Amino acid sequence: MTLSSPGIAQIPQILIVEDEPAIADTLCYSLRSEGYAPEWVATGEAALNAVGIDTALVILDVGLPDLSGFEVCRRLRARPDSPPVMFLTAHSEEIDRVLGFEIGADDYVLKPFSPRELVARVRVILRRHGNGNTTSKAATETLQLDEAGARVKWCGLPLPLTRFEYLLLRHLMGQPGRVFSREQLLDAVWGNERDSTDRTVDTHIKTLRAKLRAASPEADPILTHRGMGYSLQP
């Protein structure tokens, strides 16, 4: 995880090649919600023209109206620095899956699919190929602090924080890696507020973690140091 200013992390560009608009819309929404930058085309020829040096991944339907997905993949693999390819298809026959992998597919997802599972597979492929830097759920997670607006973004998404959640996270972000005791956090965040105890800190840490994980289920930037307190990963 890195602490950064907005715009520093590069957002992976993902090309969706799918001739069914409803499926394409679902994919675009799911990927965009995770902080990726999806682009949609409906034909194989359009896909070959759209793939560029910034394309981090191609999600490729096998049954396209012009070229088959297999042919598109073959042509992409003939190019230098070809991006990884995930096949998306309604065909469940083993021979199709074997053919897909033989011509260079990185993954093979059957329709109907779970958008959440598909995004998780996307994340794995990007990490494997070193393209995981996103303002979303990927190998490099980012926390972005806007003190003027009293807002924090995590993985490119604004966190719906309460006043004390924001103040607590801001304090941890001020010195990443430092372990703060509960007493130090109480003094810095709650001050003279009544009814504030060690349990108050623990409760707010718990709700903070829940909101961070809602944006990135695999990440947990807040560390617990038993008997000592809490820190933010540097």
Side-chain angles (χ1 to χ4, degrees):
M1 183 201 70
T2 59
L3 303 183
S4 73
S5 298
I8 289 180
Q10 182 180 359
I11 302 176
Q13 313 293 304
I14 299 178
L15 180 66
I16 299 168
V17 190
E18 169 60 62
D19 63 327
E20 297 185 38
I23 294 177
D25 286 345
T26 298
L27 287 169
C28 286
Y29 176 80
S30 299
L31 291 167
R32 193 173 293 114
S33 297
E34 298 295 313
Y36 298 109
E39 178 186 357
W40 170 42
V41 297
T43 66
E45 289 291 351
L48 293 171
N49 291 328
V51 171
I53 59 174
D54 293 327
T55 305
L57 172 67
V58 178
I59 299 178
L60 180 58
D61 184 25
V62 171
L64 297 171
D66 53 351
L67 304 173
S68 75
F70 294 138
E71 178 61 23
V72 174
C73 185
R74 286 192 187 97
R75 295 191 190 184
L76 288 176
R77 286 291 173 258
R79 299 181 181 182
D81 301 323
S82 173
V85 172
M86 172 191 287
F87 275 125
L88 189 64
T89 180
H91 299 292
S92 60
E93 288 80 2
E94 180 181 2
I95 189 170
D96 286 335
R97 296 198 302 273
V98 170
L99 177 59
F101 287 121
E102 284 182 346
I103 64 177
D106 292 82
D107 203 351
Y108 203 102
V109 177
L110 297 178
K111 301 176 184 177
F113 57 87
S114 159
R116 185 171 183 177
E117 179 185 352
L118 185 139
V119 169
R121 290 181 179 226
V122 165
R123 197 176 305 133
V124 169
I125 293 175
L126 293 179
R127 286 173 175 168
R128 186 188 308 148
H129 288 265
N131 294 318
N133 289 338
T134 74
T135 54
S136 162
K137 305 171 182 174
T140 300
E141 308 285 0
T142 61
L143 274 168
Q144 301 166 357
L145 175 63
D146 174 12
E147 291 197 71
R151 293 185 296 265
V152 177
K153 284 187 176 182
W154 168 238
C155 306
L157 303 175
L159 292 173
L161 303 179
T162 66
R163 172 192 170 195
F164 287 115
E165 288 170 351
Y166 165 76
L167 293 173
L168 177 57
L169 186 54
R170 185 186 69 174
H171 192 73
L172 292 171
M173 290 175 68
Q175 297 186 61
R178 174 180 171 179
V179 179
F180 291 95
S181 68
R182 291 171 175 81
E183 291 76 13
Q184 289 172 324
L185 293 172
L186 275 173
D187 290 341
V189 175
W190 281 268
N192 296 323
E193 290 281 337
R194 294 182 179 180
D195 302 324
S196 297
T197 65
D198 288 359
R199 183 60 180 166
T200 301
V201 176
D202 294 340
T203 299
H204 281 75
I205 289 289
K206 182 178 180 180
T207 58
L208 263 180
R209 279 177 165 152
K211 292 178 180 181
L212 291 165
R213 286 171 177 163
S216 183
E218 296 179 356
D220 187 5
I222 300 177
L223 301 180
T224 299
H225 303 267
R226 294 188 180 280
M228 299 174 64
Y230 299 99
S231 72
L232 192 72
Q233 293 188 49

